[in-house]
Amino acid sequence: MADWLSRNVRIAGVERALKAGEVLFRSEQRTVGLYEVITGKLRLVRVDRAGREALLHVAVAGETLAEASLFAPAYHCDAIATTNAVVRLYPKAIVLTEFERNPETAQAFMAMLARQVMKLRTRVEQRNIHSARDRVRHYLALNTGADGRNVKLTGTLKDLAGELGLTHEALYRTLADMAAAGEIERLKGKIRLSKPLA
Amino acid sequence: MADWLSRNVRIAGVERALKAGEVLFRSEQRTVGLYEVITGKLRLVRVDRAGREALLHVAVAGETLAEASLFAPAYHCDAIATTNAVVRLYPKAIVLTEFERNPETAQAFMAMLARQVMKLRTRVEQRNIHSARDRVRHYLALNTGADGRNVKLTGTLKDLAGELGLTHEALYRTLADMAAAGEIERLKGKIRLSKPLA
DNA sequence: CGGCGTTTTGAGAGAGCTCAACATCGGTGG
DNA sequence: CCACCGATGTTGAGCTCTCTCAAAACGCCG
Protein backbone atom coordinates (compact mmCIF):
# COMPACT_ATOMS: atom_id res chain seq x y z
CA MET A 1 0.00 0.00 0.00
CA ALA A 2 2.52 2.55 1.15
CA ASP A 3 4.45 2.52 -2.09
CA TRP A 4 4.42 6.28 -2.02
CA LEU A 5 6.94 6.44 0.76
CA SER A 6 10.65 6.25 0.39
CA ARG A 7 12.49 3.74 2.50
CA ASN A 8 13.83 6.55 4.67
CA VAL A 9 10.39 7.64 5.69
CA ARG A 10 9.00 4.17 6.02
CA ILE A 11 11.50 3.17 8.66
CA ALA A 12 10.77 6.34 10.59
CA GLY A 13 7.18 5.20 11.09
CA VAL A 14 6.08 4.75 14.67
CA GLU A 15 3.23 2.43 15.47
CA ARG A 16 0.62 3.13 18.05
CA ALA A 17 -2.27 1.02 19.27
CA LEU A 18 -5.61 2.60 20.09
CA LYS A 19 -8.53 1.22 22.01
CA ALA A 20 -12.00 1.72 20.63
CA GLY A 21 -13.10 5.22 21.51
CA GLU A 22 -9.59 6.50 22.10
CA VAL A 23 -8.66 9.83 20.58
CA LEU A 24 -5.73 10.01 18.20
CA PHE A 25 -5.76 13.78 17.87
CA ARG A 26 -8.09 16.68 18.40
CA SER A 27 -8.81 19.80 16.44
CA GLU A 28 -6.49 22.71 17.21
CA GLN A 29 -3.71 20.46 18.45
CA ARG A 30 -0.31 20.93 16.88
CA THR A 31 0.19 18.57 13.98
CA VAL A 32 2.76 15.88 14.46
CA GLY A 33 2.55 14.13 11.15
CA LEU A 34 0.80 11.84 8.78
CA TYR A 35 -0.83 8.60 9.83
CA GLU A 36 -1.44 5.33 8.11
CA VAL A 37 -4.14 3.00 9.39
CA ILE A 38 -2.74 -0.49 9.85
CA THR A 39 -5.77 -2.19 11.36
CA GLY A 40 -9.17 -1.07 12.59
CA LYS A 41 -11.24 1.99 11.86
CA LEU A 42 -10.94 5.63 12.83
CA ARG A 43 -13.50 8.33 12.31
CA LEU A 44 -12.68 11.94 11.52
CA VAL A 45 -15.23 14.36 12.88
CA ARG A 46 -15.83 18.01 13.53
CA VAL A 47 -17.26 18.47 16.98
CA ASP A 48 -19.22 21.52 18.09
CA ARG A 49 -19.43 22.83 21.62
CA ALA A 50 -22.52 20.83 22.33
CA GLY A 51 -20.50 17.72 21.58
CA ARG A 52 -22.38 16.81 18.42
CA GLU A 53 -20.23 15.19 15.78
CA ALA A 54 -20.34 15.85 12.07
CA LEU A 55 -18.71 12.96 10.29
CA LEU A 56 -16.03 13.84 7.76
CA HIS A 57 -14.64 10.43 6.97
CA VAL A 58 -14.14 6.92 8.18
CA ALA A 59 -10.61 5.70 7.60
CA VAL A 60 -10.02 1.98 7.37
CA ALA A 61 -6.96 -0.23 7.20
CA GLY A 62 -4.62 0.77 4.40
CA GLU A 63 -5.66 4.38 4.20
CA THR A 64 -3.62 7.43 5.03
CA LEU A 65 -4.95 10.01 7.36
CA ALA A 66 -4.42 13.72 7.87
CA GLU A 67 -2.39 14.27 4.74
CA ALA A 68 -3.18 17.95 4.90
CA SER A 69 -1.74 18.17 8.37
CA LEU A 70 1.72 18.03 6.85
CA PHE A 71 1.14 21.55 5.61
CA ALA A 72 -0.83 23.01 8.48
CA PRO A 73 0.21 23.95 12.02
CA ALA A 74 -2.88 22.45 13.65
CA TYR A 75 -5.43 19.74 12.97
CA HIS A 76 -8.83 20.77 11.71
CA CYS A 77 -10.81 17.85 12.99
CA ASP A 78 -10.79 15.12 15.60
CA ALA A 79 -9.66 11.58 14.93
CA ILE A 80 -11.18 8.92 17.13
CA ALA A 81 -10.79 5.16 16.99
CA THR A 82 -14.11 3.54 16.22
CA THR A 83 -12.72 0.08 16.85
CA ASN A 84 -9.51 -1.09 18.39
CA ALA A 85 -6.93 0.06 15.92
CA VAL A 86 -3.28 0.34 15.08
CA VAL A 87 -1.89 3.36 13.28
CA ARG A 88 1.57 4.29 12.11
CA LEU A 89 2.80 7.84 12.46
CA TYR A 90 5.20 9.35 9.96
CA PRO A 91 6.60 12.42 11.67
CA LYS A 92 6.05 15.63 9.82
CA ALA A 93 9.62 16.90 9.97
CA ILE A 94 11.04 13.70 8.56
CA VAL A 95 8.53 13.51 5.75
CA LEU A 96 8.93 17.13 4.75
CA THR A 97 12.71 17.11 4.77
CA GLU A 98 12.60 13.92 2.76
CA PHE A 99 10.41 15.67 0.22
CA GLU A 100 12.96 18.43 -0.11
CA ARG A 101 15.97 16.23 -0.26
CA ASN A 102 14.40 13.73 -2.53
CA PRO A 103 12.12 15.11 -5.23
CA GLU A 104 11.15 11.63 -6.40
CA THR A 105 9.60 11.00 -3.03
CA ALA A 106 7.69 14.23 -3.25
CA GLN A 107 6.51 13.25 -6.71
CA ALA A 108 5.43 9.84 -5.55
CA PHE A 109 3.40 11.45 -2.81
CA MET A 110 1.81 13.90 -5.21
CA ALA A 111 0.99 11.09 -7.58
CA MET A 112 -0.65 9.15 -4.77
CA LEU A 113 -2.73 12.14 -3.80
CA ALA A 114 -3.71 12.82 -7.39
CA ARG A 115 -4.84 9.22 -7.81
CA GLN A 116 -6.89 9.49 -4.67
CA VAL A 117 -8.53 12.64 -5.90
CA MET A 118 -9.50 10.87 -9.09
CA LYS A 119 -10.83 7.87 -7.24
CA LEU A 120 -12.85 9.99 -4.85
CA ARG A 121 -14.31 12.10 -7.62
CA THR A 122 -15.39 8.91 -9.28
CA ARG A 123 -16.98 7.71 -6.12
CA VAL A 124 -18.90 10.94 -5.71
CA GLU A 125 -20.11 10.55 -9.26
CA GLN A 126 -21.14 6.99 -8.51
CA ARG A 127 -23.23 8.17 -5.62
CA ASN A 128 -25.05 10.54 -7.92
CA ILE A 129 -26.56 7.51 -9.60
CA HIS A 130 -29.81 6.74 -7.88
CA SER A 131 -30.81 3.41 -9.32
CA ALA A 132 -29.13 0.49 -7.63
CA ARG A 133 -28.84 -1.30 -10.93
CA ASP A 134 -27.17 1.58 -12.70
CA ARG A 135 -24.88 2.09 -9.78
CA VAL A 136 -23.79 -1.53 -9.97
CA ARG A 137 -23.34 -1.20 -13.73
CA HIS A 138 -21.18 1.87 -13.18
CA TYR A 139 -19.06 -0.03 -10.72
CA LEU A 140 -18.70 -3.02 -13.00
CA ALA A 141 -17.86 -0.87 -16.00
CA LEU A 142 -15.05 0.81 -14.11
CA ASN A 143 -13.67 -2.34 -12.57
CA THR A 144 -13.46 -4.84 -15.34
CA GLY A 145 -10.15 -6.55 -15.82
CA ALA A 146 -8.07 -6.30 -18.94
CA ASP A 147 -10.45 -8.53 -20.87
CA GLY A 148 -13.36 -6.20 -20.21
CA ARG A 149 -15.47 -9.04 -18.90
CA ASN A 150 -14.42 -10.10 -15.45
CA VAL A 151 -14.69 -8.08 -12.29
CA LYS A 152 -12.76 -9.49 -9.40
CA LEU A 153 -14.49 -9.18 -6.06
CA THR A 154 -12.32 -8.31 -3.12
CA GLY A 155 -13.96 -9.06 0.17
CA THR A 156 -17.56 -9.96 0.72
CA LEU A 157 -20.60 -8.72 -1.11
CA LYS A 158 -21.56 -6.99 2.08
CA ASP A 159 -18.36 -4.97 1.85
CA LEU A 160 -19.14 -4.17 -1.75
CA ALA A 161 -22.58 -2.99 -0.74
CA GLY A 162 -20.95 -0.58 1.67
CA GLU A 163 -18.58 0.66 -0.98
CA LEU A 164 -21.48 1.24 -3.32
CA GLY A 165 -23.56 2.96 -0.69
CA LEU A 166 -26.31 0.37 -0.88
CA THR A 167 -27.77 -1.90 1.75
CA HIS A 168 -26.59 -5.47 1.34
CA GLU A 169 -30.15 -6.58 0.70
CA ALA A 170 -30.51 -4.15 -2.16
CA LEU A 171 -27.24 -5.33 -3.66
CA TYR A 172 -28.14 -9.02 -3.38
CA ARG A 173 -31.46 -8.41 -5.04
CA THR A 174 -29.96 -6.29 -7.78
CA LEU A 175 -27.30 -8.86 -8.57
CA ALA A 176 -29.91 -11.62 -8.56
CA ASP A 177 -32.08 -9.64 -10.97
CA MET A 178 -29.16 -8.87 -13.27
CA ALA A 179 -28.12 -12.49 -13.32
CA ALA A 180 -31.70 -13.57 -14.02
CA ALA A 181 -31.85 -11.07 -16.87
CA GLY A 182 -28.69 -12.58 -18.32
CA GLU A 183 -26.71 -9.39 -17.90
CA ILE A 184 -24.09 -10.94 -15.64
CA GLU A 185 -22.82 -14.28 -14.45
CA ARG A 186 -21.95 -14.75 -10.83
CA LEU A 187 -18.87 -16.84 -10.32
CA LYS A 188 -16.69 -17.68 -7.39
CA GLY A 189 -14.93 -14.46 -6.35
CA LYS A 190 -15.89 -12.58 -9.47
CA ILE A 191 -18.67 -11.35 -11.68
CA ARG A 192 -18.59 -11.78 -15.43
CA LEU A 193 -20.38 -9.49 -17.80
CA SER A 194 -22.34 -11.31 -20.45
CA LYS A 195 -21.46 -8.60 -22.95
CA PRO A 196 -17.83 -7.55 -22.64
CA LEU A 197 -17.26 -3.81 -22.72
CA ALA A 198 -13.82 -3.35 -24.05
CA MET B 1 -8.32 29.93 -7.10
CA ALA B 2 -4.98 28.93 -8.48
CA ASP B 3 -3.08 29.96 -5.38
CA TRP B 4 -1.24 26.69 -5.57
CA LEU B 5 0.77 27.77 -8.57
CA SER B 6 3.89 29.79 -8.51
CA ARG B 7 4.04 32.85 -10.69
CA ASN B 8 6.41 31.05 -13.05
CA VAL B 9 3.91 28.35 -13.78
CA ARG B 10 0.95 30.65 -13.92
CA ILE B 11 2.36 32.72 -16.74
CA ALA B 12 3.15 29.56 -18.69
CA GLY B 13 -0.55 28.74 -18.83
CA VAL B 14 -2.04 28.50 -22.29
CA GLU B 15 -5.73 29.08 -22.78
CA ARG B 16 -7.85 27.12 -25.16
CA ALA B 17 -11.50 27.48 -26.04
CA LEU B 18 -13.65 24.41 -26.63
CA LYS B 19 -17.04 24.13 -28.25
CA ALA B 20 -19.64 21.98 -26.58
CA GLY B 21 -18.91 18.37 -27.47
CA GLU B 22 -15.31 19.01 -28.41
CA VAL B 23 -12.70 16.63 -27.05
CA LEU B 24 -9.88 17.99 -24.93
CA PHE B 25 -8.01 14.71 -24.70
CA ARG B 26 -8.60 11.02 -25.11
CA SER B 27 -7.50 8.00 -23.20
CA GLU B 28 -4.12 6.62 -24.25
CA GLN B 29 -2.96 9.95 -25.66
CA ARG B 30 0.34 11.26 -24.40
CA THR B 31 -0.14 13.61 -21.48
CA VAL B 32 0.71 17.24 -22.11
CA GLY B 33 -0.07 18.69 -18.72
CA LEU B 34 -2.52 19.84 -16.16
CA TYR B 35 -5.66 21.80 -16.98
CA GLU B 36 -7.65 24.36 -15.13
CA VAL B 37 -11.25 24.99 -16.11
CA ILE B 38 -11.82 28.71 -16.59
CA THR B 39 -15.42 28.64 -17.77
CA GLY B 40 -17.91 25.95 -18.72
CA LYS B 41 -18.08 22.28 -17.90
CA LEU B 42 -16.09 19.27 -19.01
CA ARG B 43 -16.88 15.65 -18.35
CA LEU B 44 -14.32 12.95 -17.75
CA VAL B 45 -15.44 9.57 -18.95
CA ARG B 46 -14.22 6.10 -19.66
CA VAL B 47 -15.52 4.94 -22.99
CA ASP B 48 -15.79 1.32 -24.03
CA ARG B 49 -15.64 0.02 -27.57
CA ALA B 50 -19.36 0.22 -27.95
CA GLY B 51 -19.09 3.94 -27.26
CA ARG B 52 -20.88 3.82 -23.94
CA GLU B 53 -19.62 6.33 -21.44
CA ALA B 54 -19.05 5.76 -17.75
CA LEU B 55 -18.92 9.10 -16.04
CA LEU B 56 -15.94 9.70 -13.79
CA HIS B 57 -16.36 13.34 -13.00
CA VAL B 58 -17.79 16.63 -14.14
CA ALA B 59 -15.30 19.45 -13.84
CA VAL B 60 -16.64 22.98 -13.56
CA ALA B 61 -15.08 26.43 -13.58
CA GLY B 62 -12.32 26.78 -11.02
CA GLU B 63 -11.40 23.13 -10.84
CA THR B 64 -8.21 21.51 -11.94
CA LEU B 65 -8.25 18.57 -14.22
CA ALA B 66 -5.99 15.63 -14.88
CA GLU B 67 -3.68 16.23 -11.95
CA ALA B 68 -2.54 12.65 -12.13
CA SER B 69 -1.49 13.11 -15.72
CA LEU B 70 1.57 14.97 -14.49
CA PHE B 71 2.92 11.67 -13.32
CA ALA B 72 1.70 9.37 -16.04
CA PRO B 73 2.74 9.00 -19.67
CA ALA B 74 -0.82 8.73 -20.99
CA TYR B 75 -4.31 9.80 -20.03
CA HIS B 76 -6.61 7.22 -18.51
CA CYS B 77 -9.90 8.75 -19.52
CA ASP B 78 -11.48 11.08 -22.06
CA ALA B 79 -12.21 14.73 -21.38
CA ILE B 80 -15.03 16.23 -23.37
CA ALA B 81 -16.56 19.67 -23.16
CA THR B 82 -20.17 19.42 -22.06
CA THR B 83 -20.75 23.11 -22.71
CA ASN B 84 -18.70 25.69 -24.50
CA ALA B 85 -15.69 26.03 -22.28
CA VAL B 86 -12.33 27.62 -21.78
CA VAL B 87 -9.47 25.75 -20.17
CA ARG B 88 -5.93 26.70 -19.33
CA LEU B 89 -3.12 24.23 -19.89
CA TYR B 90 -0.07 24.19 -17.65
CA PRO B 91 2.52 22.20 -19.57
CA LYS B 92 3.82 19.18 -17.76
CA ALA B 93 7.51 19.88 -18.23
CA ILE B 94 7.25 23.37 -16.87
CA VAL B 95 5.24 22.33 -13.86
CA LEU B 96 7.50 19.43 -13.00
CA THR B 97 10.74 21.34 -13.35
CA GLU B 98 9.22 24.08 -11.24
CA PHE B 99 8.45 21.51 -8.58
CA GLU B 100 12.05 20.41 -8.52
CA ARG B 101 13.53 23.85 -8.57
CA ASN B 102 11.11 25.26 -6.12
CA PRO B 103 10.09 22.99 -3.27
CA GLU B 104 7.60 25.53 -1.95
CA THR B 105 5.66 25.23 -5.16
CA ALA B 106 5.68 21.48 -4.83
CA GLN B 107 4.44 21.81 -1.27
CA ALA B 108 1.69 24.19 -2.26
CA PHE B 109 0.54 21.71 -4.85
CA MET B 110 0.60 18.84 -2.39
CA ALA B 111 -1.33 20.93 0.11
CA MET B 112 -3.95 21.72 -2.50
CA LEU B 113 -4.30 18.05 -3.37
CA ALA B 114 -4.52 17.08 0.29
CA ARG B 115 -7.26 19.62 0.89
CA GLN B 116 -9.15 18.28 -2.08
CA VAL B 117 -8.87 14.76 -0.78
CA MET B 118 -10.32 15.90 2.52
CA LYS B 119 -13.13 17.77 0.85
CA LEU B 120 -14.00 14.87 -1.39
CA ARG B 121 -13.97 12.39 1.45
CA THR B 122 -16.35 14.66 3.27
CA ARG B 123 -18.60 14.81 0.28
CA VAL B 124 -18.68 11.04 0.00
CA GLU B 125 -19.60 10.88 3.65
CA GLN B 126 -22.32 13.43 3.06
CA ARG B 127 -23.81 11.25 0.36
CA ASN B 128 -24.01 8.39 2.81
CA ILE B 129 -26.65 10.36 4.66
CA HIS B 130 -30.00 9.38 3.25
CA SER B 131 -32.38 11.82 4.85
CA ALA B 132 -32.51 15.14 3.04
CA ARG B 133 -32.88 16.97 6.31
CA ASP B 134 -29.85 15.37 7.87
CA ARG B 135 -27.88 15.93 4.72
CA VAL B 136 -28.70 19.61 4.84
CA ARG B 137 -27.82 19.68 8.53
CA HIS B 138 -24.49 18.07 7.77
CA TYR B 139 -23.80 20.67 5.12
CA LEU B 140 -24.77 23.53 7.38
CA ALA B 141 -22.74 22.21 10.28
CA LEU B 142 -19.63 22.04 8.12
CA ASN B 143 -20.12 25.40 6.45
CA THR B 144 -20.94 27.81 9.20
CA GLY B 145 -18.87 30.93 9.37
CA ALA B 146 -16.67 31.88 12.28
CA ASP B 147 -19.65 32.71 14.45
CA GLY B 148 -21.10 29.24 14.04
CA ARG B 149 -24.43 30.63 12.95
CA ASN B 150 -24.34 31.92 9.43
CA VAL B 151 -23.86 29.88 6.30
CA LYS B 152 -23.15 31.94 3.23
CA LEU B 153 -24.77 30.65 0.08
CA THR B 154 -22.70 30.84 -3.04
CA GLY B 155 -24.72 30.55 -6.18
CA THR B 156 -28.34 29.52 -6.41
CA LEU B 157 -30.23 27.05 -4.31
CA LYS B 158 -30.45 24.92 -7.38
CA ASP B 159 -26.68 24.74 -7.44
CA LEU B 160 -26.67 23.84 -3.79
CA ALA B 161 -29.16 21.07 -4.48
CA GLY B 162 -26.76 19.68 -7.03
CA GLU B 163 -23.88 19.87 -4.61
CA LEU B 164 -25.92 18.05 -2.01
CA GLY B 165 -27.10 15.42 -4.43
CA LEU B 166 -30.74 16.33 -3.99
CA THR B 167 -33.34 17.49 -6.46
CA HIS B 168 -34.04 21.16 -6.16
CA GLU B 169 -37.62 20.40 -5.15
CA ALA B 170 -36.47 18.26 -2.26
CA LEU B 171 -34.10 20.96 -1.10
CA TYR B 172 -36.75 23.68 -1.27
CA ARG B 173 -39.14 21.60 0.72
CA THR B 174 -36.56 20.64 3.29
CA LEU B 175 -35.47 24.23 3.81
CA ALA B 176 -39.08 25.33 4.07
CA ASP B 177 -39.77 22.65 6.67
CA MET B 178 -36.67 23.51 8.68
CA ALA B 179 -37.56 27.18 8.63
CA ALA B 180 -41.12 26.40 9.69
CA ALA B 181 -39.78 24.28 12.53
CA GLY B 182 -37.65 27.19 13.67
CA GLU B 183 -34.41 25.38 13.03
CA ILE B 184 -33.10 27.89 10.52
CA GLU B 185 -33.77 31.37 9.23
CA ARG B 186 -33.55 32.06 5.54
CA LEU B 187 -31.97 35.36 4.75
CA LYS B 188 -30.73 37.02 1.60
CA GLY B 189 -27.72 35.05 0.41
CA LYS B 190 -27.35 33.07 3.60
CA ILE B 191 -28.95 30.74 6.07
CA ARG B 192 -28.78 31.33 9.80
CA LEU B 193 -28.98 28.56 12.33
CA SER B 194 -31.36 29.29 15.16
CA LYS B 195 -29.06 27.48 17.56
CA PRO B 196 -25.40 28.29 16.90
CA LEU B 197 -23.10 25.33 16.91
CA ALA B 198 -19.76 26.64 17.95
C1' DC C 1 -21.79 -31.18 14.88
C1' DG C 2 -22.46 -26.33 16.43
C1' DG C 3 -22.07 -21.47 15.83
C1' DC C 4 -21.30 -17.26 13.51
C1' DG C 5 -21.25 -14.31 9.60
C1' DT C 6 -22.69 -14.04 4.89
C1' DT C 7 -26.17 -14.64 1.56
C1' DT C 8 -30.98 -14.79 0.34
C1' DT C 9 -35.87 -13.88 0.21
C1' DG C 10 -40.22 -11.56 2.10
C1' DA C 11 -43.26 -7.80 3.31
C1' DG C 12 -44.14 -3.05 4.44
C1' DA C 13 -43.42 1.82 4.77
C1' DG C 14 -41.28 6.01 4.07
C1' DA C 15 -38.73 9.31 1.53
C1' DG C 16 -37.19 11.34 -2.33
C1' DC C 17 -37.90 11.47 -7.38
C1' DT C 18 -40.78 12.66 -11.30
C1' DC C 19 -44.00 15.33 -13.61
C1' DA C 20 -46.69 19.43 -13.44
C1' DA C 21 -48.30 24.01 -12.57
C1' DC C 22 -47.46 28.40 -10.86
C1' DA C 23 -45.03 32.38 -8.61
C1' DT C 24 -41.09 35.38 -8.47
C1' DC C 25 -37.20 37.85 -9.83
C1' DG C 26 -33.84 40.10 -12.85
C1' DG C 27 -32.56 41.51 -17.10
C1' DT C 28 -33.65 43.12 -22.01
C1' DG C 29 -35.62 45.55 -25.53
C1' DG C 30 -39.26 48.12 -27.41
C1' DC D 1 -41.53 52.75 -18.17
C1' DC D 2 -43.51 48.63 -19.17
C1' DA D 3 -44.01 44.13 -21.33
C1' DC D 4 -41.72 40.14 -22.07
C1' DC D 5 -38.79 36.24 -21.21
C1' DG D 6 -35.90 32.89 -19.08
C1' DA D 7 -34.21 31.01 -14.98
C1' DT D 8 -34.95 30.45 -10.22
C1' DG D 9 -37.91 29.45 -6.59
C1' DT D 10 -42.26 27.08 -4.70
C1' DT D 11 -45.90 23.93 -3.98
C1' DG D 12 -48.83 19.78 -5.17
C1' DA D 13 -49.74 14.83 -6.05
C1' DG D 14 -48.47 10.26 -7.16
C1' DC D 15 -45.17 6.60 -7.66
C1' DT D 16 -41.27 4.02 -7.51
C1' DC D 17 -37.48 2.40 -5.27
C1' DT D 18 -34.66 1.67 -1.63
C1' DC D 19 -34.45 1.16 3.28
C1' DT D 20 -35.93 -1.18 7.36
C1' DC D 21 -37.18 -4.98 9.96
C1' DA D 22 -37.60 -10.05 9.89
C1' DA D 23 -36.59 -14.67 9.11
C1' DA D 24 -34.47 -18.45 6.99
C1' DA D 25 -30.84 -20.94 4.17
C1' DC D 26 -26.05 -21.42 3.35
C1' DG D 27 -21.08 -21.88 4.09
C1' DC D 28 -17.04 -21.98 6.67
C1' DC D 29 -14.25 -22.99 10.66
C1' DG D 30 -13.36 -24.68 15.04
Side-chain angles (χ1 to χ4, degrees):
Chain A
M1 188 59 194
D3 56 344
W4 46 275
L5 283 176
S6 71
R7 182 151 202 73
N8 288 339
V9 174
R10 190 93 49 84
I11 59 176
V14 182
E15 293 209 354
R16 171 172 170 192
L18 296 160
K19 294 235 179 288
E22 199 174 344
V23 173
L24 179 59
F25 57 75
R26 288 243 185 240
S27 193
E28 320 287 325
Q29 285 181 357
R30 276 183 46 241
T31 52
V32 296
L34 174 69
Y35 292 94
E36 182 184 358
V37 182
I38 308 300
T39 63
K41 282 185 193 172
L42 293 272
R43 64 180 187 280
L44 300 192
V45 293
R46 286 242 321 242
V47 181
D48 65 25
R49 272 188 209 153
R52 280 168 304 200
E53 295 186 352
L55 188 60
L56 298 176
H57 183 56
V58 175
V60 299
E63 279 186 73
T64 58
L65 200 58
E67 299 88 343
S69 76
L70 286 174
F71 315 104
Y75 292 105
H76 290 84
C77 61
D78 295 13
I80 306 170
T82 298
T83 66
N84 290 340
V86 177
V87 298
R88 197 186 333 246
L89 167 68
Y90 300 105
K92 190 169 157 176
I94 292 177
V95 176
L96 291 179
T97 59
E98 179 69 11
F99 285 166
E100 288 194 19
R101 239 190 306 207
N102 210 334
E104 305 94 63
T105 304
Q107 277 211 5
F109 188 66
M110 285 190 252
M112 186 274 282
L113 287 175
R115 275 193 303 271
Q116 279 218 20
V117 166
M118 199 166 51
K119 192 167 293 187
L120 285 164
R121 283 176 179 167
T122 300
R123 183 166 297 198
V124 169
E125 216 54 67
Q126 170 196 90
R127 299 305 176 91
N128 280 340
I129 302 171
H130 295 293
S131 145
R133 196 147 177 172
D134 287 340
R135 201 180 285 186
V136 170
R137 285 200 187 105
H138 185 259
Y139 175 83
L140 294 175
L142 295 178
N143 289 278
T144 50
D147 61 355
R149 284 199 71 173
N150 292 300
V151 180
K152 192 167 68 179
L153 298 177
T154 62
T156 68
L157 288 179
K158 230 177 155 177
D159 295 335
L160 178 59
E163 190 175 325
L164 291 174
L166 296 171
T167 58
H168 58 278
E169 296 99 317
L171 177 61
Y172 293 136
R173 275 188 253 267
T174 302
L175 290 177
D177 289 348
M178 290 173 77
E183 187 172 344
I184 59 171
E185 277 178 88
R186 301 181 56 183
L187 308 172
K188 180 116 186 120
K190 66 180 177 183
I191 292 176
R192 176 178 298 166
L193 302 178
S194 302
K195 299 184 184 175
L197 305 169
Chain B
M1 187 60 196
D3 56 343
W4 47 274
L5 283 175
S6 72
R7 182 152 203 73
N8 288 338
V9 175
R10 190 94 48 84
I11 58 176
V14 182
E15 293 210 353
R16 171 171 169 192
L18 297 161
K19 294 234 179 287
E22 199 174 341
V23 173
L24 179 59
F25 58 75
R26 288 244 186 241
S27 195
E28 319 287 325
Q29 286 181 357
R30 274 183 47 241
T31 52
V32 294
L34 173 69
Y35 292 95
E36 181 185 358
V37 181
I38 308 299
T39 63
K41 283 186 191 171
L42 294 270
R43 64 179 188 279
L44 301 192
V45 293
R46 289 242 319 243
V47 182
D48 64 27
R49 272 188 211 153
R52 280 168 303 201
E53 295 186 352
L55 188 59
L56 298 176
H57 183 56
V58 175
V60 299
E63 278 186 75
T64 57
L65 201 58
E67 298 88 343
S69 76
L70 286 174
F71 314 104
Y75 292 105
H76 291 85
C77 61
D78 294 14
I80 306 171
T82 298
T83 66
N84 290 341
V86 177
V87 297
R88 198 187 332 245
L89 167 67
Y90 299 105
K92 191 169 158 177
I94 292 178
V95 176
L96 290 178
T97 59
E98 179 70 10
F99 284 166
E100 288 194 18
R101 240 189 305 206
N102 209 335
E104 304 96 61
T105 302
Q107 277 210 7
F109 188 67
M110 285 190 249
M112 184 275 280
L113 288 175
R115 275 193 303 271
Q116 280 218 20
V117 166
M118 200 167 50
K119 192 167 292 188
L120 285 164
R121 284 176 178 167
T122 300
R123 184 166 296 199
V124 170
E125 216 53 66
Q126 170 196 90
R127 299 307 176 89
N128 281 340
I129 301 171
H130 295 293
S131 145
R133 197 146 177 173
D134 287 342
R135 201 179 284 185
V136 171
R137 286 200 187 105
H138 185 260
Y139 175 82
L140 294 175
L142 296 178
N143 288 279
T144 50
D147 61 355
R149 285 199 71 173
N150 292 301
V151 180
K152 193 166 70 179
L153 298 177
T154 63
T156 67
L157 287 178
K158 232 176 153 177
D159 295 335
L160 178 59
E163 190 176 325
L164 291 174
L166 296 171
T167 58
H168 56 280
E169 296 99 318
L171 177 60
Y172 293 139
R173 276 188 254 268
T174 302
L175 290 178
D177 290 348
M178 291 174 77
E183 188 173 345
I184 60 172
E185 277 178 87
R186 301 181 57 182
L187 308 172
K188 180 114 188 124
K190 66 180 176 183
I191 292 176
R192 177 179 298 166
L193 302 178
S194 302
K195 299 184 183 177
L197 305 168

